[in-house]
Structures are given as C-alpha cells and as structure tokens.
Amino acid sequence: MENRILIKGLLLSFFILITVSCEKGDGVELDENGEVINPQKGNQIVSGNPALNTFLIASQDETLYTVDAQTGEETAIYEFPYQTDFELIPSYKDGIIYVTADDNSINAVDVNTKSFVWEQYLLESDFSSYGVTPPTCVDGVCYASGTTGVLTAVNQITGDLKWYYTSDPSGELDNILHGNSSQIIHGDKIYVFSEESFISDFPPYMHILDKETGKFIQKVKLPYELTGTPLVVDNIMYLPAKNLYAINLDTMDVLWEFEANGAGTPYISGDRLIVNAIPPGQGLRSALYCIDMSTTSIVWQKDTGVDTLWNPLIVENVVYSNYDKGSSFPGATNAKPFAVDLESGEELWYNADVSVDHSPVYANGILFSYGHDLYRTDDTDNNVGLLTIDANTGKTLWLNSFFRYGARLNPLVIAENGVFGPSYYRGE
C-alpha cells in the first residue's frame, strides 16, 4: 500500500495492512532473549527515570487509595458511602483528589490528612452512572457534567457552585434521559458535547460557552455522537465522532476528515497523529493509524484486533497501545499491550502473557494498568490487579492483587515532574 494516500473521502480496506515485524529494521534489533537493543539509549526505547513516580490514585469499591509507585503498596485515603461508584478517572492538584461519583456529585479529598474536603452536587441528586463525566480542573475551577445533562463549574478550593449550563434542548435541569459525554477547556472557552436525546430526534451538539461565566456563545450540530475525547492543538480541534474531523476553532470549518466506522481519542506528537479506529465497512475489527499531519496521509496502520477503541499514547518515538484478542463474554476485554516505532510502525515489543483492562498510562518509563499477568504465580487470584509494565521491554514489574475486584478508577500517576493519565486526561 502506498504511504501517500489522501484521507478525505477514502474508503480504507482493513485487510491491506503494513506488516509489523519484530525483526531487525530502522535501527531496532532484538537480542537472543527477545529484548530490544538500542545502543543510542542504553538498551532503552524510551528514556525516563521511574524514581520520579511517587504514587497512583486508585479505588476499590467505595474507597479511594493511593498506591506507592515504587512498591505497589496501597494506603486507604477515604471511604465514601456504601455502593458509591466513581467515574472513570480523577483529577489531582496540590494534594487534593477531585472525583465524580454516581450520586451525581463532584468531591474533593485531601491526600495528606485523609479527610473529606467538600462535596457539590451537579444540581440534582440522583444515583445513576449515566452521563456523569470525570472532572476537569483548570485555573482554579472544576468542571463536570451530571446525569441530567447539566455542566457545572465549581470553585476548586471551596466547592462553591460558580455557574451551570444545561445542554438539554428544552432547557430542563432534571431530565435524566439526556446526557453529556465530555467537556474540553481551551483558551477562554469551554466546549461541552451533548448526546442524542432518548425521547426525541434531537441530534448531538457541541455547545461553546464562556469559560468564566458559562454564558452561551454558539451551538454546532454534530453528524454523530462522540466516539472518543476531542483534542485541541494549535487552535484546531480533532473531533472523533464516528469519523475523525479536524476543525478550525476560529471559523468552525472542517479542514480535513478521516473516514471511519468509529474513531477513538487521537494523540499528536510533532507532525504525527495516532488514532485507533474501526475502518469503514468494518464492525468487528479495528486498526491503529499513524497520520502525517502535513499531508493528511496514512504513514502506516496496524491491526489491533476486535473493535475496542483504545486510547494510544506517544512517548518520544514510541507508540503504546493494546491489541484486543476478543473475550468469551460481552463487555470484557482481552487486551495485550504493545509498543511500536512511531516512524515505521515496526513492533518493538508485544506481551502476550498479560491481559489489561485499560488504555496505557505512561509515566517516566513505566506503564500502569489493571489486568491479569497470566503466569505470574500458580494462584490465579494473585495474578490479577493493579500492575506496572516496563515501557522498554514490556515485562511486568509489580502487581497488587488487592485491586483484583471492584477497581473503578483508571490509574492516575502523581510524579515529581507532573501528573500522568491516559491520553484522554485533560487536567492540569
């Protein structure tokens, strides 16, 4: 397949894939043990000092935990009321964890004192996980949507309600059949994405608001609901809504379009965009695509198994993602982590002995996830939990089986040099 193929209007054949090999090529070699040889990086494919990683934020049932990034040892921070479920991923700043829960609330918990700081309901108190978005905390304000399709802005220090906006077409504040899927903060604006209504033919919209006041600016009809989390780079929004759209935020013009039967969250590094997508005409398989931003052409693509839309990451010249082999029952994943070269798509490592539940979280040379290290011990119960993987070799390091059941939050890593989450994490 040619490397220079225009994306707009293109129907991609899933079966025409560039072969990804573990053999010698593009300066990457494997030794007799199958490990990467790269003399320029001291036998590493990425740099990074794991000692900078301090702790992770995790959960088990109703309790928030911190987990020592070096040893995997957990410490209970705060226990919420019985049967409280957390939503996807927390936010963190200056010793405070911010997390949304299925009682339609956003909460702040102090890590150092292990105490509850504040709680703010997202207008209506109603136990339901539908439509509750993870918090996005930026410039002293935390934003989150509740089950009623209402975006709420909350003072990050006090928890006081600053403003709210309902994306419900009728303006209602308590219509549980309407929801939002995400919020993106960029410049002086906030972009909130409403889903199709269950009770009418209202389409999905992108609502543009003033970040400071919540005042409505504009509403843009979308062709499809979001299938991933939008990314903004250089005032261009890369919007995954079945297809992937590049939108000029000044004019709202579509600059180019990548056709797919479902596109996940994009990730950009330099002049390369990585996205996991379901090719047009496909419903059971997915592929990882590398796109040249200067030409909007496909550089390479790699089969990623069944149609789970993972959220890949780029670190230096390496792409991390998962290959889903498919499970024996609905709703489960059987994902194998892998690393490929950004420029060539050549496979650097693939761990078939690990099955992970989440997209990769990278911090300083280490990958963090929940999953199953199949042959770690003879005791199956001790092989499942929160685990770490060496980003250079793909080998598992420590595994904490305390989190084998009921883990709700995706890992968020707090390090001396920043906060690290999956590719869709939008906190500071």
Side-chain angles (χ1 to χ4, degrees):
M1 184 182 71
E2 294 182 354
N3 286 340
R4 301 296 184 183
I5 304 175
L6 292 179
I7 292 174
K8 190 171 184 179
L10 181 65
L11 293 179
L12 299 174
S13 172
F14 174 80
F15 297 102
I16 305 177
L17 299 176
I18 292 179
T19 301
V20 179
S21 172
C22 288
E23 297 178 356
K24 182 177 179 180
D26 291 337
V28 178
E29 294 179 294
L30 303 182
D31 62 18
E32 64 275 10
N33 297 318
E35 297 181 353
V36 175
I37 301 172
N38 190 329
Q40 294 181 345
K41 291 187 177 180
N43 298 333
Q44 294 181 326
I45 58 174
V46 291
S47 59
N49 180 9
L52 295 175
N53 297 330
T54 306
F55 64 89
L56 290 74
I57 299 170
S59 68
Q60 171 78 355
D61 297 325
E62 300 88 3
T63 304
L64 285 177
Y65 291 86
T66 57
V67 180
D68 188 292
Q70 305 302 317
T71 67
E73 182 179 358
E74 79 280 356
T75 300
I77 299 299
Y78 186 80
E79 183 177 357
F80 280 73
Y82 179 60
Q83 290 188 336
T84 299
D85 280 334
F86 307 114
E87 297 306 316
L88 297 176
I89 193 166
S91 191
Y92 176 88
K93 187 173 184 180
D94 298 333
I96 306 295
I97 299 171
Y98 303 92
V99 63
T100 47
D102 68 349
D103 62 352
N104 214 32
S105 68
I106 182 171
N107 308 268
V109 176
D110 191 303
V111 170
N112 297 316
T113 63
K114 300 181 182 179
S115 61
F116 191 81
V117 180
W118 55 255
E119 174 185 53
Q120 178 62 254
Y121 283 101
L122 304 175
L123 287 201
E124 297 289 333
S125 176
D126 188 4
F127 277 82
S128 172
S129 61
Y130 172 74
V132 178
T133 65
T136 305
C137 298
V138 176
D139 297 333
V141 180
C142 291
Y143 305 88
S145 288
T147 61
T148 57
V150 179
L151 176 70
T152 305
V154 175
N155 184 292
Q156 192 169 354
I157 303 300
T158 65
D160 293 337
L161 181 66
K162 185 175 181 180
W163 56 257
Y164 63 85
Y165 170 82
T166 176
S167 61
D168 185 85
S170 64
E172 294 185 24
L173 299 179
D174 59 355
N175 185 355
I176 199 170
L177 295 180
H178 179 77
N180 300 331
S181 56
S182 184
Q183 64 272 335
I184 300 295
I185 293 91
H186 176 65
D188 59 357
K189 296 181 179 64
I190 183 166
Y191 302 82
V192 60
F193 299 85
S194 61
E195 299 173 343
E196 295 179 11
S197 175
F198 280 114
I199 56 176
S200 68
D201 58 356
F202 287 112
Y205 285 97
M206 176 171 66
H207 306 251
I208 306 173
L209 314 175
D210 182 273
K211 173 186 168 186
E212 180 64 25
T213 65
K215 183 179 179 181
F216 174 80
I217 297 173
Q218 186 181 359
K219 185 165 70 173
V220 179
K221 179 181 175 181
L222 301 178
Y224 306 98
E225 291 184 353
L226 291 189
T227 49
T229 303
L231 174 68
V232 178
V233 177
D234 296 332
N235 215 40
I236 297 175
M237 176 177 286
Y238 299 89
L239 177 72
K242 186 179 178 183
N243 303 319
L244 179 65
Y245 302 89
I247 301 172
N248 185 317
L249 290 181
D250 291 325
T251 64
M252 289 296 152
D253 292 335
V254 176
L255 303 178
W256 55 268
E257 174 185 344
F258 172 63
E259 289 191 9
N261 201 29
T265 300
Y267 199 95
I268 292 176
S269 178
D271 62 353
R272 294 290 187 265
L273 181 150
I274 296 289
V275 66
N276 199 197
I278 303 169
Q282 287 289 325
L284 297 176
R285 308 291 292 183
S286 64
L288 182 66
Y289 295 91
C290 177
I291 298 171
D292 187 318
M293 299 289 290
S294 62
T295 63
T296 66
S297 63
I298 298 171
V299 180
W300 53 261
Q301 65 189 86
K302 172 179 168 55
D303 175 22
T304 51
V306 299
D307 61 350
T308 304
L309 293 178
W310 300 102
N311 304 289
L313 284 169
I314 302 173
V315 181
E316 297 170 11
N317 196 44
V318 178
V319 181
Y320 295 100
S321 193
N322 298 329
Y323 179 96
D324 198 334
K325 298 186 71 174
S327 180
S328 58
F329 56 94
T333 59
N334 184 15
K336 309 299 182 182
F338 66 79
V340 297
D341 182 87
L342 174 62
E343 296 302 320
S344 67
E346 182 167 5
E347 190 171 284
L348 303 176
W349 59 255
Y350 172 86
N351 191 337
D353 295 336
V354 174
S355 179
V356 295
D357 296 337
H358 298 294
S359 296
V361 174
Y362 173 91
N364 299 302
I366 305 295
L367 297 172
F368 299 83
S369 187
Y370 292 97
H372 187 183
D373 188 358
L374 302 176
Y375 308 110
R376 189 176 188 88
T377 71
D378 293 333
D379 184 353
T380 301
D381 285 345
N382 287 326
N383 295 347
V384 180
L386 180 62
L387 55 82
T388 54
I389 297 172
D390 188 325
N392 285 289
T393 65
K395 293 183 176 180
T396 55
L397 302 173
W398 58 255
L399 184 150
N400 185 333
S401 60
F402 173 78
F403 295 99
R404 62 185 175 271
Y405 303 122
R408 180 68 176 175
L409 290 177
N410 291 3
L412 190 71
V413 184
I414 314 305
E416 295 178 20
N417 58 338
V419 177
F420 298 84
S423 68
Y424 54 84
Y425 179 66
R426 297 291 183 261
E428 289 184 309

